[in-house]
Amino acid sequence: MKIEYNEKLKKLPPYLFIEIDRKKKEAIEKGKDIISLGVGDPDLPTPEHIIESIQEAVTKSTNHHYPFGVGLLSYREAIGKWYKKRFNVNLDVDEICALIGSKEGIGHIHLGFVNPGDIVLIPEPGYPVYNTGTILSDGIAHFMPLLAENNFLPDLDIIPENVLKKAKLIFVNYPNNPTAAIAPKEFYIKLIEFAKRNNIIVVSDAAYSEIYYDENEKPCSFLEFPGAKEVGVEFHSLSKTYNMTGWRIGWVCGNKDIVAGIAKVKDNYDSGVFQAVQEAAVAALTSSQRCVENFRKIYKERRDVLVGGLRELEWQVSLPKASFYVWAKIPEGYTSAQTVSKLLDLAAIICTPGSGMGKSGEGYVRFSLTVSGSRIKEAIKRIGLVKW
Ligand SMILES: *Cc1c(COP(=O)(O)O)cnc(C)c1O
């Protein structure tokens, strides 16, 4: 029998970071000493106290059953307290739903709110799941370019009226992957007004809110602003904050009815997050946040080595204020894909082509700060030897 995928699956582009991971493994097999600045997966270990917490939680038989539903009350209460402390936002437990990593919810939200032919407003370059979720729900993507001249914020004023009429969701992501931009308060205020006026649900992806470099310029939450809860939700994750990408735990919070819609989709697709993982997440959110401070310090050192080194080589890079990415303009005369190939072939460095994350990413590559400072120094040395 010939197995035939449906039209939606055929339309999905190969998942960028799985492709990059494949290239890396291929090069390592050939015996190359690869420095991987491609995928955004922290190299640092999950803090010990979180690991200890799951070790205990895993032995409890009450945690061995289907977790079902929106998540443990203790997990949602811990999230509520964390939001209050970090953003001064009040959240009720029915405004929060546990997720199997925030990617899971970001990919599923469309199923609750997008009818075939509806439009989804998506920033590009951007996290691929905003678009793949749209394709899988028979929605239509309208891409909003993130350009340096607009500080990598989408220009809401140029979205055509006929697009706005059919738009159901707008995705925003600050601190931004891949551009490392943060959004100012005025942007969120304008966004909320835009959403109300056009009846469009705001979906804020705040996975990097804790990876910032300046205590005086902490990223804000969309939910801090008046009216936000009427129009949208925010996705959050423990993956980047606590180096827990493998654990698969995140949440969505904000508008109660939107959260309930996502929960309803999930009731029919999965049966919740392993409770032992939720208990460990409670430990992460409620105990001392010193470990996170320490991670920020480490990323900052790495950032300064990479940005300083690239600038010495006359690359044009701005200093990121948040996220663990460096969004670098590539040498003139090359495309993003050519630059990535050249860096792999001549310097054994893996990085992400800007164009792979959206057409406005052409002209850039993304470096992740997820290897040690000494490896970044080595990477700079190797880049310095490449002739352009
Ligand atoms: C890493 C990342 C996420 C979240 O990942 P999970 O591990 O699924 O929680 C969400 N959005 C962006 C932009 C990311 O880079």
Side-chain angles (χ1 to χ4, degrees), residues 146-174:
L146 303 185
L147 307 174
E149 69 241 39
N150 297 333
N151 299 316
F152 301 110
L153 298 167
D155 186 349
L156 303 176
D157 297 330
I158 60 166
I159 303 170
E161 202 55 42
N162 60 329
V163 169
L164 293 175
K165 278 208 183 87
K166 290 174 75 181
K168 288 290 156 65
L169 304 175
I170 179 168
F171 281 93
V172 295
N173 166 223
Y174 296 97

Short mmCIF file of all heavy atoms in Angstrom, two decimals, residues 146-174:
data_model
loop_
_atom_site.label_atom_id
_atom_site.label_comp_id
_atom_site.label_asym_id
_atom_site.label_seq_id
_atom_site.Cartn_x
_atom_site.Cartn_y
_atom_site.Cartn_z
N LEU A 146 9.28 41.56 11.18
CA LEU A 146 9.97 42.23 12.30
C LEU A 146 11.27 42.80 11.76
O LEU A 146 12.18 42.06 11.41
CB LEU A 146 10.28 41.22 13.42
CG LEU A 146 9.10 40.45 14.01
CD1 LEU A 146 9.56 39.59 15.18
CD2 LEU A 146 7.97 41.39 14.45
N LEU A 147 11.30 44.13 11.64
CA LEU A 147 12.43 44.78 10.98
C LEU A 147 13.23 45.62 11.97
O LEU A 147 12.67 46.18 12.92
CB LEU A 147 11.92 45.70 9.86
CG LEU A 147 10.98 45.04 8.84
CD1 LEU A 147 10.42 46.09 7.88
CD2 LEU A 147 11.70 43.92 8.08
N ALA A 148 14.54 45.70 11.71
CA ALA A 148 15.42 46.48 12.59
C ALA A 148 14.91 47.92 12.71
O ALA A 148 14.92 48.49 13.80
CB ALA A 148 16.85 46.45 12.05
N GLU A 149 14.44 48.49 11.60
CA GLU A 149 14.03 49.90 11.66
C GLU A 149 12.79 50.12 12.54
O GLU A 149 12.52 51.24 12.94
CB GLU A 149 13.82 50.48 10.25
CG GLU A 149 12.63 49.92 9.51
CD GLU A 149 13.04 49.21 8.22
OE1 GLU A 149 14.09 48.53 8.24
OE2 GLU A 149 12.32 49.34 7.22
N ASN A 150 12.04 49.05 12.84
CA ASN A 150 10.92 49.17 13.79
C ASN A 150 11.25 48.54 15.14
O ASN A 150 10.35 48.12 15.88
CB ASN A 150 9.67 48.47 13.24
CG ASN A 150 9.17 49.11 11.97
OD1 ASN A 150 9.38 50.31 11.74
ND2 ASN A 150 8.53 48.33 11.12
N ASN A 151 12.55 48.41 15.43
CA ASN A 151 12.98 47.76 16.68
C ASN A 151 12.41 46.34 16.81
O ASN A 151 12.14 45.88 17.91
CB ASN A 151 12.61 48.59 17.90
CG ASN A 151 13.26 49.95 17.87
OD1 ASN A 151 14.45 50.05 17.55
ND2 ASN A 151 12.50 50.99 18.13
N PHE A 152 12.23 45.70 15.68
CA PHE A 152 11.73 44.32 15.62
C PHE A 152 10.36 44.16 16.27
O PHE A 152 10.03 43.12 16.84
CB PHE A 152 12.76 43.35 16.23
CG PHE A 152 14.10 43.39 15.53
CD1 PHE A 152 15.22 43.93 16.15
CD2 PHE A 152 14.23 42.91 14.23
CE1 PHE A 152 16.45 43.98 15.49
CE2 PHE A 152 15.46 42.95 13.57
CZ PHE A 152 16.56 43.49 14.20
N LEU A 153 9.55 45.22 16.17
CA LEU A 153 8.14 45.14 16.60
C LEU A 153 7.29 45.08 15.33
O LEU A 153 7.63 45.70 14.33
CB LEU A 153 7.75 46.39 17.39
CG LEU A 153 8.52 46.64 18.69
CD1 LEU A 153 8.26 48.06 19.20
CD2 LEU A 153 8.13 45.62 19.74
N PRO A 154 6.17 44.34 15.36
CA PRO A 154 5.32 44.32 14.17
C PRO A 154 4.63 45.67 14.01
O PRO A 154 4.26 46.30 15.01
CB PRO A 154 4.30 43.22 14.49
CG PRO A 154 4.27 43.13 15.97
CD PRO A 154 5.64 43.50 16.46
N ASP A 155 4.44 46.11 12.77
CA ASP A 155 3.73 47.36 12.51
C ASP A 155 2.24 47.04 12.37
O ASP A 155 1.79 46.58 11.32
CB ASP A 155 4.29 48.01 11.23
CG ASP A 155 3.68 49.38 11.01
OD1 ASP A 155 2.69 49.74 11.70
OD2 ASP A 155 4.19 50.11 10.12
N LEU A 156 1.51 47.29 13.45
CA LEU A 156 0.09 46.92 13.46
C LEU A 156 -0.73 47.81 12.51
O LEU A 156 -1.81 47.43 12.07
CB LEU A 156 -0.48 47.04 14.88
CG LEU A 156 0.24 46.20 15.96
CD1 LEU A 156 -0.36 46.49 17.33
CD2 LEU A 156 0.17 44.71 15.64
N ASP A 157 -0.19 49.01 12.21
CA ASP A 157 -0.95 49.97 11.41
C ASP A 157 -0.99 49.62 9.92
O ASP A 157 -1.79 50.19 9.19
CB ASP A 157 -0.35 51.38 11.57
CG ASP A 157 -0.45 51.86 13.00
OD1 ASP A 157 -1.41 51.45 13.69
OD2 ASP A 157 0.45 52.61 13.44
N ILE A 158 -0.13 48.71 9.48
CA ILE A 158 -0.12 48.43 8.04
C ILE A 158 -0.85 47.12 7.68
O ILE A 158 -0.85 46.70 6.54
CB ILE A 158 1.32 48.37 7.46
CG1 ILE A 158 2.13 47.27 8.15
CG2 ILE A 158 2.02 49.73 7.59
CD1 ILE A 158 3.43 46.93 7.41
N ILE A 159 -1.47 46.51 8.68
CA ILE A 159 -2.20 45.27 8.38
C ILE A 159 -3.51 45.65 7.66
O ILE A 159 -4.29 46.44 8.18
CB ILE A 159 -2.50 44.47 9.67
CG1 ILE A 159 -1.18 44.16 10.40
CG2 ILE A 159 -3.26 43.18 9.35
CD1 ILE A 159 -1.35 43.60 11.79
N PRO A 160 -3.72 45.12 6.45
CA PRO A 160 -4.89 45.56 5.67
C PRO A 160 -6.22 45.24 6.36
O PRO A 160 -6.33 44.25 7.08
CB PRO A 160 -4.77 44.76 4.36
CG PRO A 160 -3.37 44.25 4.31
CD PRO A 160 -2.89 44.15 5.72
N GLU A 161 -7.18 46.10 6.11
CA GLU A 161 -8.51 45.99 6.73
C GLU A 161 -9.16 44.62 6.47
O GLU A 161 -9.74 44.01 7.36
CB GLU A 161 -9.39 47.12 6.16
CG GLU A 161 -10.58 47.50 7.03
CD GLU A 161 -10.19 47.87 8.47
OE1 GLU A 161 -9.18 48.59 8.69
OE2 GLU A 161 -10.91 47.42 9.38
N ASN A 162 -9.02 44.13 5.22
CA ASN A 162 -9.66 42.83 4.90
C ASN A 162 -9.01 41.67 5.66
O ASN A 162 -9.65 40.67 5.95
CB ASN A 162 -9.67 42.58 3.39
CG ASN A 162 -8.27 42.55 2.81
OD1 ASN A 162 -7.36 43.22 3.29
ND2 ASN A 162 -8.08 41.75 1.78
N VAL A 163 -7.73 41.82 5.99
CA VAL A 163 -7.03 40.81 6.80
C VAL A 163 -7.55 40.88 8.24
O VAL A 163 -7.86 39.86 8.86
CB VAL A 163 -5.50 41.02 6.74
CG1 VAL A 163 -4.77 40.17 7.77
CG2 VAL A 163 -4.98 40.74 5.33
N LEU A 164 -7.64 42.09 8.75
CA LEU A 164 -8.11 42.27 10.14
C LEU A 164 -9.49 41.68 10.35
O LEU A 164 -9.77 41.10 11.40
CB LEU A 164 -8.14 43.77 10.49
CG LEU A 164 -6.78 44.46 10.56
CD1 LEU A 164 -6.96 45.96 10.79
CD2 LEU A 164 -5.91 43.86 11.65
N LYS A 165 -10.33 41.79 9.33
CA LYS A 165 -11.71 41.29 9.45
C LYS A 165 -11.75 39.80 9.68
O LYS A 165 -12.64 39.29 10.36
CB LYS A 165 -12.49 41.63 8.17
CG LYS A 165 -13.01 43.04 8.14
CD LYS A 165 -14.28 43.15 7.28
CE LYS A 165 -14.74 44.58 7.21
NZ LYS A 165 -14.08 45.33 6.10
N LYS A 166 -10.79 39.09 9.09
CA LYS A 166 -10.80 37.62 9.21
C LYS A 166 -9.79 37.09 10.23
O LYS A 166 -9.66 35.88 10.39
CB LYS A 166 -10.52 36.99 7.83
CG LYS A 166 -11.68 37.19 6.86
CD LYS A 166 -11.34 36.69 5.48
CE LYS A 166 -11.35 35.16 5.40
NZ LYS A 166 -10.97 34.70 4.03
N ALA A 167 -9.10 38.01 10.89
CA ALA A 167 -8.04 37.56 11.82
C ALA A 167 -8.63 37.14 13.16
O ALA A 167 -9.51 37.82 13.71
CB ALA A 167 -7.02 38.66 12.01
N LYS A 168 -8.17 36.02 13.69
CA LYS A 168 -8.67 35.51 14.97
C LYS A 168 -7.62 35.60 16.08
O LYS A 168 -7.96 35.80 17.23
CB LYS A 168 -9.10 34.04 14.81
CG LYS A 168 -10.38 33.86 14.02
CD LYS A 168 -11.59 34.36 14.82
CE LYS A 168 -12.76 34.73 13.94
NZ LYS A 168 -13.34 33.62 13.22
N LEU A 169 -6.36 35.39 15.70
CA LEU A 169 -5.29 35.39 16.70
C LEU A 169 -4.15 36.28 16.23
O LEU A 169 -3.90 36.36 15.03
CB LEU A 169 -4.70 33.98 16.89
CG LEU A 169 -5.59 32.80 17.25
CD1 LEU A 169 -4.77 31.50 17.24
CD2 LEU A 169 -6.22 33.00 18.63
N ILE A 170 -3.47 36.92 17.18
CA ILE A 170 -2.20 37.59 16.87
C ILE A 170 -1.14 37.08 17.86
O ILE A 170 -1.35 37.10 19.07
CB ILE A 170 -2.30 39.13 16.91
CG1 ILE A 170 -0.93 39.75 16.59
CG2 ILE A 170 -2.83 39.67 18.23
CD1 ILE A 170 -0.97 41.26 16.32
N PHE A 171 -0.05 36.56 17.30
CA PHE A 171 1.05 36.10 18.14
C PHE A 171 2.07 37.21 18.32
O PHE A 171 2.43 37.90 17.35
CB PHE A 171 1.77 34.91 17.48
CG PHE A 171 1.05 33.60 17.65
CD1 PHE A 171 0.14 33.15 16.70
CD2 PHE A 171 1.27 32.83 18.78
CE1 PHE A 171 -0.52 31.94 16.87
CE2 PHE A 171 0.62 31.61 18.95
CZ PHE A 171 -0.28 31.16 17.99
N VAL A 172 2.53 37.39 19.56
CA VAL A 172 3.67 38.28 19.82
C VAL A 172 4.61 37.54 20.75
O VAL A 172 4.17 36.71 21.56
CB VAL A 172 3.26 39.64 20.44
CG1 VAL A 172 2.42 40.45 19.47
CG2 VAL A 172 2.52 39.45 21.76
N ASN A 173 5.89 37.83 20.65
CA ASN A 173 6.90 37.07 21.40
C ASN A 173 8.05 37.99 21.80
O ASN A 173 8.92 38.28 21.00
CB ASN A 173 7.38 35.90 20.49
CG ASN A 173 8.65 35.24 20.99
OD1 ASN A 173 9.55 34.95 20.20
ND2 ASN A 173 8.76 34.98 22.27
N TYR A 174 7.99 38.44 23.06
CA TYR A 174 9.07 39.26 23.62
C TYR A 174 9.39 38.79 25.02
O TYR A 174 8.45 38.50 25.75
CB TYR A 174 8.67 40.74 23.61
CG TYR A 174 8.49 41.23 22.21
CD1 TYR A 174 7.23 41.28 21.64
CD2 TYR A 174 9.60 41.54 21.42
CE1 TYR A 174 7.06 41.67 20.32
CE2 TYR A 174 9.44 41.93 20.09
CZ TYR A 174 8.17 41.98 19.56
OH TYR A 174 8.01 42.35 18.25
#
